[in-house]
Amino acid sequence: MLHKAFKQGLGLACVMAVLAGCSSTSTTDENASTAAADQGVNTGTTTQQDVSATQEPVVALETVFYFDFDQAVLKPESRTALLGHAEQLKAAPRSIRLEGHADERGTREYNMALGERRANAVRDFLVLQGVSGSDLEVISYGEERPASLGSNESSYSANRRVELK
């Protein structure tokens, strides 16, 4: 009987040791990090306060730009948002895809060309603002990927667009 109790106790001790070793506690000593930070020592850890002090807040900019019927001319509100995109792209260059779209009116070929002209209008504006043209890919979907289904002015206006992706 004593032998059985000893085995159970030893088994329980082993399980507890495994559980203690698998616990998910932080391995960083917060007091040491704070003391090192007070002395100006870099511990390799970054606090949220450090990040917010060095980075500017990211402003969410519009990524869909709408056009008038049969037009590839940027509207003033689109230009304003694109200026913000241009600043971000100059500060941190990355590849952007400009997807041109058209509503269902017109032939498929005409709408493909119109979507391309719209995407090129956005690309040209960004390039004029100093964004590298090699980072901008232009593609036209014409009427093939509508944002809104329907044959009314509301749907048409939602589909005459360029999307930044």
Side-chain angles (χ1 to χ4, degrees):
M1 178 93 159
L2 186 61
H3 184 61
K4 187 175 179 182
F6 179 73
K7 280 185 175 179
Q8 286 178 341
L10 185 59
L12 183 60
C14 289
V15 169
M16 295 301 286
V18 168
L19 288 176
C22 293
S23 67
S24 60
T25 58
S26 174
T27 58
T28 358
D29 185 3
E30 291 181 19
N31 292 334
S33 293
T34 304
D38 290 342
Q39 295 174 3
V41 176
N42 185 359
T43 61
T45 60
T46 306
T47 64
Q48 183 63 31
Q49 184 179 7
D50 295 337
V51 171
S52 62
T54 59
Q55 293 178 349
E56 293 181 25
V58 176
V59 178
L61 297 172
E62 186 64 37
T63 59
V64 180
F65 305 99
Y66 297 97
F67 292 82
D68 290 329
F69 173 71
D70 201 26
Q71 296 293 312
V73 178
L74 290 171
K75 294 181 177 185
E77 59 269 17
S78 296
R79 291 175 185 266
T80 304
L82 285 169
L83 286 171
H85 282 288
E87 291 303 316
Q88 287 182 355
L89 290 169
K90 287 189 294 186
R94 65 184 190 284
S95 294
I96 298 290
R97 187 173 61 236
L98 305 169
E99 297 179 349
H101 300 271
D103 62 36
E104 65 184 32
R105 297 175 289 182
T107 65
R108 183 178 185 279
E109 293 80 16
Y110 181 82
N111 287 335
M112 290 294 285
L114 181 58
E116 185 175 359
R117 286 195 311 270
R118 288 174 174 163
N120 280 329
V122 172
R123 181 188 56 82
D124 293 346
F125 183 83
L126 291 171
V127 168
L128 285 172
Q129 304 309 312
V131 176
S132 171
S134 62
D135 292 336
L136 304 172
E137 175 190 5
V138 171
I139 188 165
S140 176
Y141 291 111
E143 62 189 73
E144 302 301 318
R145 294 188 178 184
S148 177
L149 298 176
S151 297
N152 55 47
E153 185 53 39
S154 175
S155 295
Y156 294 152
S157 63
N159 292 330
R160 298 187 303 252
R161 69 194 191 281
V162 169
E163 296 182 30
L164 262 70
K165 296 198 174 181

